[in-house]
Amino acid sequence: MSGPSTYVPKSALGRWFEERLPLGGLIHSSFVAYPTPRNLNYMWTFGGILSFMLAAQIVTGVVLAMHYTPEATLAFGSVEYVMRDVNFGWMLRYLHSNGASMFFAAAYLHILRGMYYGSYKAPREVLWLLGVVIFLLMFATAFMGYVLPWGNMSLWGAKVITSLFSAIPFVGDSITAWLWGGYSVDNPTLNRFFSLHYLLPFMIAGAVVLHVWALHVVGQNNPAGVEVKDVARDTVPFTPYATAKDGFAIVCFMIVYAWFVFYTPNYLGDADNYIKANALQTPAHIVPEWYFLPYYAILRSIPNKLLGVIALVAAVGITAFLPWLDTSQVRSGRFRPAFKLFFWLFVASAVGLGYLGAQEPTGGYVIASQILAVCYFGYFIVVLPVLGLVEKTKPVPPTIADSILPSPAPAE
Amino acid sequence: MIPSILRSLVRPLALCAAFALAAPAFAQQAEEQPIPTHQSWSFAGPFGRYDTAQLQRGFKVYKEVCSNCHALGIPFRTLSQPGGPEFSKGQVEALAATYQIDDVNDKGEAIKRPGRPADTIPWIFANKAAAAAAFGKAPPNMNLLAKARSFSDGFPWFVVNLFTQYQEQGPDWIYAILNGYSKPEDRKWNLYFPGHAIAMPSPLDSLFDPKTGKALNAGFYTDGTPVTKEQVSKDVAAFLMWAAEPSLDARKRIGFRVMAFLIAFAFLAYFTKKKVWSDVHAHA
């Protein structure tokens, strides 16, 4: 999409530097001149929102790490020290803990947008796969971050999730012991999780660079799902158009974020994590954070541990195969009436699984989780491959401009 | 192996039809245990602030009742912090001096010295094991109690709670427990405690007659506040909320400014975006 930069710095110093390292040209071609489809809706602002959240998490996290002590007997107290004695420490910590939830909320909306408008389809498969990699890294980062306050849910959550590896035949127990650095979740586990929790966000940042690069090679998808044919007619430059729109969306998103941080900072958290980790006292009800709940429900819906773990891994991993599972020739869901219905059923089943993941795994709840898990997987392995072959789609506009311009009287 | 795989795949499908019938059964699974009722708190909502006088009364309840078993684990100095009970510096120094703190002198000998504001309010027990030996189970530290106890209002109320900014589950829970000893003959039976068998016998029995509920010392409060069980439990619950979340006043005060700024900024950003895009739409 973006060709060689035509950017020429105004100052002599700028030109001198540009001849030696065309940094200005890179930024100019990526974030100023980059052509964006003119028909993007607000669902396309989540990329900018996610970049903002990644930066916010890294900044608050780096400062928190200056005050936090990753040691099993001191960690819980050091978080309370941040909350009580560090200047604005409560704000930093609430920004960071709620920031994780905001990050996931934006990521889920970003992913669902991609699924609805078929953004994973050719030629954007690598772009999509990089997104799956980022998503997996986010999972690992968030999970390990939740362990750091060393509350009782941190400890028992870590125990439940790391124990999943013990389901692997023959080597499972060895892998679990290796992850723990001992025979239970303890100080060595906390130390390595802190180290990795600091490392992974920078790996996310690296994957984001590749994700954006891939995006700029193939260009953005758009609600019409048709490729740019005429840059002048179908697109507008990134700056000022996308920057102004993303800027507005980011501020709106910050209002929601601020609501959580300043008014309901513990709404999404678990009260048990304000109890210091205690290996002898199991919480009445071990639940992960909300963003893991659908997967947790899928895990628990299968009574066999190994099969449950396989289902959990498959639930996340199957998203990587989306570009090849969806057989439809039409990219955007806008022109696929039957797809729309199934898409929203899929969203409803994921939300339903999220609700069930927070409930006690008994009787009716388990049965409901099983039904919804079948719906979840059914969307990927039955609906998408079959629907593309049998579905009757609506006519697709020939160009992006045609999809938004008032249709002129038929010329021919 | 194969039949179990089949069962796990087939069973949900077979039960799809029964789903609608199964739904009402969920409600019956809930244990018959009342959840605490929502009290009205001065620190609730977007403009909530702690009531200084209430926190001072709550501290008195803590000191006279709770501290006989529970550690608070916060420094004396915090009692004079803004947004807290706001005792004067002099009051806090005098209070701290009434405690004897374990320390080591410059010869390395273990000594006891009068407390200072920077000291943590000492616990009546030397350590957890001593407390556990006395009670069978160590009473929990109280500095986070109001955030470490919660309950769910269930669907759909937990969604509504986000919009009403309901974050007072902890103090509501503490209030409910203190008023949940409804059997005068069994002081370890609590209506609101999960399973009803609570290790802590009714702590307010030292202030109120278990049978009549009348105050044993009507002059317990010196500021004219009526000494009722409801009032005392509310005061101590509010105090424990402050102990758990001392930054609440500052948080909500700053939060209002942040919100006002962001909303104004959002309007500016919106009109900027509209202006920028106006020529595109004109051509469209």
Side-chain angles (χ1 to χ4, degrees), chain A residues 38 42 76 80 83-85 88 90-91 94 236 240-242 244-245 247-248 251-252 254-255 258-267 271-272 274-275 302-304 307 355-356 362-365 367-368 370-371 374 404-406, chain B residues 4-5 8-9 11-13 15-16 19 26 29 46 74 77 143-144 147-150 155 158-159 161-163 165 167 243-247 250-252 254-256 258-259 262-263 265-266 269-270 273 276-277 279-280 283-284:
Chain A
R38 65 193 292 171
Y42 274 100
F76 187 81
E80 275 311 304
M83 291 294 286
R84 292 160 191 271
D85 291 333
F88 297 104
W90 58 267
M91 198 193 289
Y94 280 153
V236 289
Y241 297 98
K245 197 170 181 174
F248 171 57
V251 176
C252 289
M254 284 168 82
I255 293 173
W259 180 283
F260 277 100
V261 169
F262 293 100
Y263 294 131
T264 58
N266 293 305
Y267 179 84
D272 275 310
Y274 280 112
I275 299 169
I302 298 177
N304 177 298
L307 291 178
Y355 174 75
L356 294 166
T362 50
Y365 287 109
I367 296 163
Q370 289 169 343
I371 294 167
V374 168
I404 50 164
L405 296 178
Chain B
S4 85
I5 294 171
S8 63
L9 290 175
R11 212 171 66 182
L13 285 173
L15 285 164
C16 263
F19 181 50
F26 294 176
Q29 287 170 2
I74 59 173
R77 64 176 162 80
N143 65 8
L144 281 169
K147 288 203 287 189
R149 297 293 183 275
S150 192
F155 183 80
F158 78 82
V159 181
N161 287 343
L162 176 61
F163 296 95
Q165 302 185 352
Q167 286 269 287
E245 185 81 355
S247 56
R251 167 158 63 78
K252 293 194 174 180
I254 294 171
F256 179 73
V258 169
M259 279 293 183
L262 284 176
I263 290 168
F265 191 23
Y270 173 72
K273 184 256 159 192
V276 165
W277 281 78
D279 60 332
V280 176
H283 295 141

Side-chain angles (χ1 to χ4, degrees), chain A residues 128 132 313-323 325 376-381:
Chain A
W128 176 262
V132 175
V313 173
V316 186
I318 201 161
T319 55
F321 298 94
L322 259 179
L325 287 169
Y376 178 95
F377 285 110
Y379 177 79
F380 292 101
I381 54 185

Side-chain angles (χ1 to χ4, degrees), chain A residues 89-143:
Chain A
W90 58 267
M91 198 193 289
L92 279 170
R93 190 200 165 214
Y94 280 153
L95 280 169
H96 196 73
S97 60
N98 286 288
S101 286
M102 293 295 114
F103 203 155
F104 269 97
Y108 280 131
L109 291 170
H110 190 66
I111 292 166
L112 288 174
R113 188 269 293 154
M115 289 170 68
Y116 184 82
Y117 293 108
S119 301
Y120 45 74
K121 292 190 188 187
R124 299 187 179 79
E125 299 95 326
V126 172
L127 173 60
W128 176 262
L129 290 175
L130 284 164
V132 175
V133 169
I134 294 170
F135 190 48
L136 292 175
L137 287 170
M138 281 174 65
F139 266 22
T141 310
F143 163 65

